[in-house]
Amino acid sequence: MHIAYLSPFRQDLGASYSFDLKGYNFVLVRLIASGVSAIAFIGYSIYEALNGDPINTAIILLTGVLFILAILFGPFSLIERKEISALITGLITILSIFNAFMASDATDSDKIDQNIDLFQQALKVKYCPTDIQPNESERAKFHALKDILVKQCGLQNRQNINSLAVDAAKARYLDPISGLADNIHSEFIKDEPVTCLSIAMRMNEICSGKFQL
């Protein structure tokens, strides 16, 4: 009778022990995930800081704080503590919008003037002389790029404004994690867009000195 009484008690102990072990493992996984995430966010923020982008550095660190809190306490816990998440998200949104304007060529007066100047230069350029570029195929490339340059430089400032509008909308409406993912994609994966300056630089490589850059 004594043994029969202890048997289910031991099973209860075993069940309790199993439950505690699962809980411990769950907490351990959260801590490890938080640590790895912290290293990743800090590493990326250091990279941006070294590139001279303090605003983006702050955005990354704040996003990291929000992400790690969600891992440690769960996203639903952050919803319940909406004051904390709303404060961090609000700061990220404000900084992201500000950064979109600061980083845009549409707000850079020097870039605006440069595009206008290159457009005017492109209208005056007729051909690349043989004494500068003796290769006929290269001169043909120069001539083909000339028409593209006129169109691109004529539209460049408007395109920059459109890009700014898109970036500002992303900063306003994307959640912090999606915004950070888009930023990483733009910085490391997305191809560099063709611009008025990039075409003019290519044409200057073909026919040296034709454009004042």
Side-chain angles (χ1 to χ4, degrees):
M1 294 293 293
H2 185 62
I3 295 175
Y5 174 76
L6 287 177
S7 179
F9 180 69
R10 286 178 177 174
Q11 289 176 1
D12 289 342
L13 280 177
S16 176
Y17 176 75
S18 176
F19 174 79
D20 290 341
L21 183 60
K22 289 180 180 178
Y24 172 78
N25 288 338
F26 186 62
V27 171
L28 184 61
V29 168
R30 283 190 171 189
L31 290 175
I32 292 173
S34 300
V36 172
S37 299
I39 292 172
F41 279 104
I42 291 172
Y44 187 27
S45 65
I46 291 173
Y47 170 81
E48 291 294 339
L50 292 176
N51 284 339
D53 195 344
I55 300 175
N56 216 25
T57 301
I59 293 170
I60 294 166
L61 290 174
L62 287 171
T63 304
V65 170
L66 196 64
F67 187 75
I68 291 169
L69 287 176
I71 293 176
L72 289 175
F73 303 107
F76 294 107
S77 178
L78 284 181
I79 293 174
E80 293 174 359
R81 297 175 175 85
K82 59 183 179 180
E83 295 84 3
I84 298 175
S85 59
L87 175 62
I88 298 175
T89 302
L91 286 173
I92 293 171
T93 301
I94 292 171
L95 288 173
S96 297
I97 293 174
F98 181 72
N99 193 47
F101 278 87
M102 291 297 294
S104 175
D105 289 343
T107 59
D108 189 329
S109 59
D110 291 336
K111 294 288 180 65
I112 294 171
D113 292 340
Q114 184 183 53
N115 292 329
I116 295 172
D117 181 60
L118 286 174
F119 175 69
Q120 293 172 345
Q121 291 186 57
L123 292 175
K124 297 176 183 178
V125 170
K126 300 301 180 183
Y127 58 89
C128 181
T130 55
D131 58 331
I132 297 178
Q133 178 53 261
N135 189 305
E136 184 177 351
S137 63
E138 290 296 302
R139 293 199 307 273
K141 289 179 184 178
F142 182 90
H143 183 74
L145 286 172
K146 182 177 72 69
D147 294 334
I148 298 174
L149 180 67
V150 172
K151 294 177 183 178
Q152 185 62 44
C153 290
L155 295 172
Q156 189 64 64
N157 287 332
R158 181 179 292 275
Q159 288 179 356
N160 290 342
I161 293 173
N162 292 339
S163 296
L164 172 58
V166 171
D167 291 339
K170 288 179 180 179
R172 171 63 182 85
Y173 295 108
L174 286 180
D175 63 86
I177 301 300
S178 298
L180 182 62
D182 181 74
N183 185 62
I184 293 172
H185 177 268
S186 299
E187 189 165 2
F188 297 106
I189 301 173
K190 190 176 180 180
D191 294 333
E192 287 292 326
V194 176
T195 64
C196 170
L197 179 60
S198 67
I199 298 173
M201 291 175 65
R202 174 61 184 138
M203 292 178 70
N204 247 12
E205 291 175 1
I206 297 173
C207 194
S208 179
K210 291 300 288 184
F211 292 96
Q212 300 296 322
L213 302 178

